[in-house]
Amino acid sequence: MDRTAQLITPSAERSIAYDPPNSSHSLHARAARVLEGNWTGASTVPSRSLYPHQWSWDSAFIAIGLRHLSPLRAQTELETLLAAQWGDGRVPHIVFSPSVPLDAYFPSPDFWRSSTAGRAAGAPRTVQTSGIVQPPVHALAAWLVHCADPGLSRARGFLAWVYPRLAAWHRYLLHRRDLGGGGLASVVHPWEQGMDNSPSWDLPLSRVTPAPARSFRRADLDHGAAEDRPTDLDYGRYVQLATEYRDAEYADGAGEFAVEDPAFNALLIASEHALARIAGELGAPGTARHAHAERLTAALVERLWDPAYGMFLCRDLRSPAPDGRGTLIPERGVSGLIPLLLPGLPRDIVSTLLNTASGPHFGLGTTTRLLPSHDLLGEAFDPHRYWRGPAWFNTSWLLERGLRTHGELQQADALRESVLELAAATDFAEYVDPYTGEACGATGFSWTAALALDLLHSGTTLTNGTTVTADMGLKGGNRR
């Protein structure tokens, strides 16, 4: 039986599609069970209770972990998501399952009305989606999934199928979402950036009149404590922004909220590098895409770097400014450290980011166990409230990759160990208190399990002493 047939043929002996370690209680086996339990047959839900549909950047992170269990299932994860892509190139942040009741999650398909309100933007007719997007981790995930089993990938034509869709996704962000005119992509809703409730959004959100509380019902409070979730005021503003975007038929550029975010753009740059690798695998030159990624890195530094804060900041494009470029938002969020992932950063910026991450504002390696989502010294810091202080496993995974990219192996190893220890201790929690490691949100969370698997594999030491590390698909080297 060939490799493809082996992966496609269901196993009669086990329900988890991998060869488990000897101990059924190992972290590897436990993580695999989480992903198996959240698998729907075509994609993986983040959480059966709190998030019962397919989420965009969740699926990218999940695929990165799934490649160690079943490269076929990892490919299917991304293919299912990209099959719901809109005609204008956007990849929606939620693909809704028709088997889930409408009241299980809000905003539900009848709120977004993608097939009608999104018709002009080319929303698919056969599946219901949201109309906003999430960070573009997908090309990076596709490259890593391909590398897990190149033979299977080539046999199935995986990269040939995803490449034009990923290229269209990047074109949408780089052209339709360049709302500031400086080359960077903008988000038009806090949910798009993925760090939904960050204090970085407080200033631009303050200009938004919230939707009336009676106009929606918060299903998230059925599964999480109110003190850990966004406030009703903030949630009303999220709903209002989404309503206005929907009623404008998802046309970009006219809304009250437009922000250039460092993490969103850093992930776009990383995925642009990965897309160059994919092009090369398909026999096309990737030089232009690598060069474009370097130009985007320069734009990121020029527009969002703030030496006084020692990190990248968000730019509020709707805030009045004499030069018409908007203003930087004076909040230190974890988003501003994620560009450490990029190999093309100037060395002085890399050094400053490292100092900021380990300094009093984030305390990594000293006072905190994982990277907090917000400034420990900030007025808005809350160790338990959603994205206003708790530590998330995906941001720590990204920083761990960034530390390795820039040769900070000791710090990377320490962060890797902390991620694995807390993933195990919290039953793969959605997020944790950065000081104590106490679990918050849902448990059995898919990207926590998936990224723990990836760190388990990427840190494996072989018998010859070689340490296996993940190829992130990025072009090496720092600009001096």
Side-chain angles (χ1 to χ4, degrees):
M1 184 181 292
D2 64 22
R3 176 66 168 150
T4 303
Q6 285 178 335
L7 286 166
I8 293 174
T9 303
S11 170
E13 298 178 359
R14 58 178 183 266
S15 61
I16 298 174
Y18 77 114
D19 292 319
N22 292 331
S23 171
S24 62
H25 299 293
S26 73
L27 185 61
H28 189 286
R30 289 172 58 199
R33 282 195 289 269
V34 168
L35 295 177
E36 186 71 18
N38 289 339
W39 174 247
T40 67
S43 63
T44 310
V45 299
S47 162
R48 285 285 182 182
S49 58
L50 188 54
Y51 305 106
H53 302 284
Q54 183 180 25
W55 260 257
S56 172
W57 78 325
D58 290 72
S59 276
F61 287 123
I62 289 164
I64 289 170
L66 274 177
R67 68 193 172 117
H68 301 295
L69 305 180
S70 168
L72 175 61
R73 208 163 87 183
Q75 292 175 28
T76 302
E77 184 82 36
L78 296 173
E79 290 164 349
T80 300
L81 177 68
L82 291 173
Q85 186 173 26
W86 289 29
D88 63 3
R90 82 181 73 193
V91 175
H93 99 295
I94 302 175
V95 180
F96 290 105
S97 169
S99 65
V100 174
L102 286 178
D103 62 357
Y105 182 82
F106 179 85
S108 52
D110 58 344
F111 172 87
W112 295 104
R113 305 171 198 165
S114 61
S115 59
T116 54
R119 185 178 298 136
R125 297 182 180 181
T126 57
V127 63
Q128 294 295 311
T129 76
S130 64
I132 60 175
V133 303
Q134 274 192 321
V137 199
H138 311 90
L140 176 59
W143 175 250
L144 294 177
V145 166
H146 164 78
C147 291
D149 192 334
L152 174 68
S153 175
R154 291 166 188 146
R156 297 186 67 246
F158 171 65
L159 290 184
W161 190 87
V162 300
Y163 180 79
R165 291 162 175 80
L166 293 170
W169 169 220
H170 286 206
R171 280 196 302 273
Y172 168 77
L173 293 174
L174 292 167
H175 296 287
R176 299 285 294 274
R177 288 300 189 89
D178 182 11
L179 304 181
L184 299 182
S186 299
V187 295
V188 299
H189 194 290
W191 289 337
E192 292 198 313
Q193 193 266 357
M195 304 176 192
D196 310 0
N197 197 36
S198 168
S200 295
W201 313 135
D202 290 355
L203 185 60
L205 278 176
S206 67
R207 300 190 294 268
V208 177
T209 301
R214 64 183 179 278
S215 66
F216 60 92
R217 187 188 77 83
R218 294 187 58 180
D220 64 315
L221 297 182
D222 295 341
H223 305 284
E227 60 269 21
D228 290 349
R229 304 293 296 173
T231 65
D232 286 341
L233 176 62
D234 284 334
Y235 211 91
R237 287 169 169 154
Y238 303 154
V239 172
Q240 183 63 27
L241 278 177
T243 300
E244 292 173 359
Y245 192 41
R246 177 200 67 199
D247 292 347
E249 299 184 324
Y250 299 110
D252 294 311
E256 297 177 79
F257 188 99
V259 175
E260 293 174 348
D261 173 77
F264 192 99
N265 281 280
L267 291 169
L268 176 58
I269 294 166
S271 277
E272 189 74 2
H273 277 302
L275 205 56
R277 293 286 191 94
I278 295 173
E281 169 66 22
L282 295 173
T287 307
R289 285 200 178 275
H290 278 310
H292 186 227
E294 294 298 337
R295 290 194 297 272
L296 287 173
T297 301
L300 183 73
V301 171
E302 194 274 329
R303 293 184 65 83
L304 303 185
W305 175 249
D306 191 311
Y309 276 74
M311 63 188 304
F312 292 89
L313 302 179
C314 296
R315 182 175 291 276
D316 179 5
L317 297 177
R318 297 293 183 255
S319 177
D323 59 5
R325 301 189 340 154
T327 56
L328 293 177
I329 298 171
E331 293 284 357
R332 290 182 174 91
V334 67
S335 172
L337 298 175
I338 300 304
L340 193 65
L341 182 69
L342 303 176
L345 286 182
R347 188 62 215 177
D348 60 326
I349 288 181
V350 170
S351 297
T352 303
L353 286 173
L354 293 171
N355 289 336
T356 300
S358 60
H361 294 287
F362 292 91
L364 187 64
T366 54
T367 59
T368 60
R369 302 191 66 185
L370 293 185
L371 192 68
S373 52
H374 189 63
D375 182 359
L376 299 172
L377 305 180
E379 292 183 7
F381 174 79
D382 184 327
H384 284 188
R385 194 178 288 276
Y386 205 64
W387 288 111
R388 299 181 80 84
W392 292 70
F393 290 88
N394 66 327
T395 53
S396 286
W397 180 87
L398 289 167
L399 189 70
E400 195 267 357
R401 300 291 84 189
L403 291 169
R404 293 199 189 282
T405 295
H406 296 286
E408 302 294 330
L409 303 185
Q410 185 174 356
Q411 288 179 273
D413 287 342
L415 182 54
R416 173 183 176 272
E417 289 305 311
S418 291
V419 169
L420 294 176
E421 288 173 9
L422 287 176
T426 63
D427 193 21
F428 306 101
E430 183 179 1
Y431 53 99
V432 299
D433 182 308
Y435 290 119
T436 67
E438 176 189 350
C440 302
T443 55
F445 200 70
S446 289
W447 80 24
T448 304
L451 297 177
L453 272 172
D454 188 62
L455 290 177
L456 280 171
H457 281 261
S458 65
T460 300
T461 301
L462 305 179
T463 55
N464 63 3
T466 302
T467 299
V468 179
T469 57
D471 176 2
M472 295 295 285
L474 306 182
K475 191 176 182 181
N478 292 317
R479 293 206 326 266
R480 296 288 177 177

